[in-house]
């Protein structure tokens, strides 16, 4: 049985991705607050975003598990317009550069922001901004949350 905290966390995660995609500061703040309602909601949001980042990396047509997974030009161009600071910015850029996380000690909110921004950048790199919005919205509106690359 799916708990209300799971639904809330997964929904807030997708709302956060859409907010970052459109650079909507108020929506980012609202979705961030929704991910932090309780520790369980936060955990589900982080798990959802981590999984979507994984799916987005694997969705790239040139992905190879035998070399670093570097973010392409479309995702990098979008990242230039994202407001990030401190360890979140460092971690997002490390994930974009070689697919490896740096050794920062991030709290849950920072990991959630990192995964949301990184996943959006990776999806944009594969599908472009318009298709990214459509795919995230489709996931958000689905009765269950399927994988991104299906």
């Amino acid at each position: 049985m799916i708990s209300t905290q799971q639904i809330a966390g997964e929904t807030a995660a997708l709302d956060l991705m859409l907010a970052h995609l459109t650079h909507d500061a108020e929506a980012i703040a609202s979705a961030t607050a929704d991910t932090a309602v309780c520790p369980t909601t936060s955990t589900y949001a982080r798990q959802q975003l981590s999984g979507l980042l994984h799916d987005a990396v694997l969705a790239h047509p040139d992905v190879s598990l035998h070399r670093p997974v570097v973010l392409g030009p479309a995702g990098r161009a979008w990242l230039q317009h994202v407001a990030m600071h401190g360890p979140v910015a460092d971690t997002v850029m490390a994930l974009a550069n070689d697919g490896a996380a740096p050794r920062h000690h991030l709290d849950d909110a920072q990991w959630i922001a990192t995964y949301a921004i990184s996943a959006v950048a990776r999806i944009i790199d594969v599908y472009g901004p318009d298709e990214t919005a459509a795919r995230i919205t489709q996931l958000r509106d689905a009765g269950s949350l399927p994988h991104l690359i299906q």
Side-chain angles (χ1 to χ4, degrees):
M1 177 166 202
I2 298 175
S3 71
T4 56
Q5 289 99 351
Q6 180 177 355
I7 293 168
E10 291 176 350
T11 301
L14 293 167
D15 289 344
L16 184 58
M17 289 175 69
L18 284 169
H20 276 293
L21 176 64
T22 60
H23 308 290
D24 183 337
E26 288 180 23
I28 291 168
S30 177
T32 299
D34 289 347
T35 66
V37 169
C38 72
T40 303
T41 301
S42 205
T43 298
Y44 279 116
R46 183 174 169 177
Q47 178 181 343
Q48 174 73 2
L49 291 165
S50 174
L52 289 171
L53 175 57
H54 173 265
D55 287 354
V57 169
L58 293 179
H60 198 281
D62 296 330
V63 70
S64 170
L65 301 179
H66 301 288
R67 64 178 187 271
V69 183
V70 178
L71 182 63
R76 286 183 183 280
W78 178 80
L79 278 178
Q80 292 177 4
H81 303 286
V82 176
M84 301 180 284
H85 306 286
V88 169
D90 292 346
T91 306
V92 167
M93 294 315 297
L95 290 170
N97 287 332
D98 66 4
R103 298 194 183 273
H104 285 297
H105 294 286
L106 304 179
D107 62 25
D108 276 343
Q110 291 171 318
W111 274 117
I112 287 169
T114 297
Y115 287 149
I117 293 165
S118 296
V120 171
R122 294 285 180 166
I123 300 167
I124 286 173
D125 200 48
V126 175
Y127 300 110
D130 293 336
E131 182 69 16
T132 296
R135 286 177 178 269
I136 295 171
T137 301
Q138 180 182 16
L139 288 173
R140 168 96 173 54
D141 295 342
S144 63
L145 297 172
H147 291 285
L148 179 70
I149 58 176
Q150 287 182 340

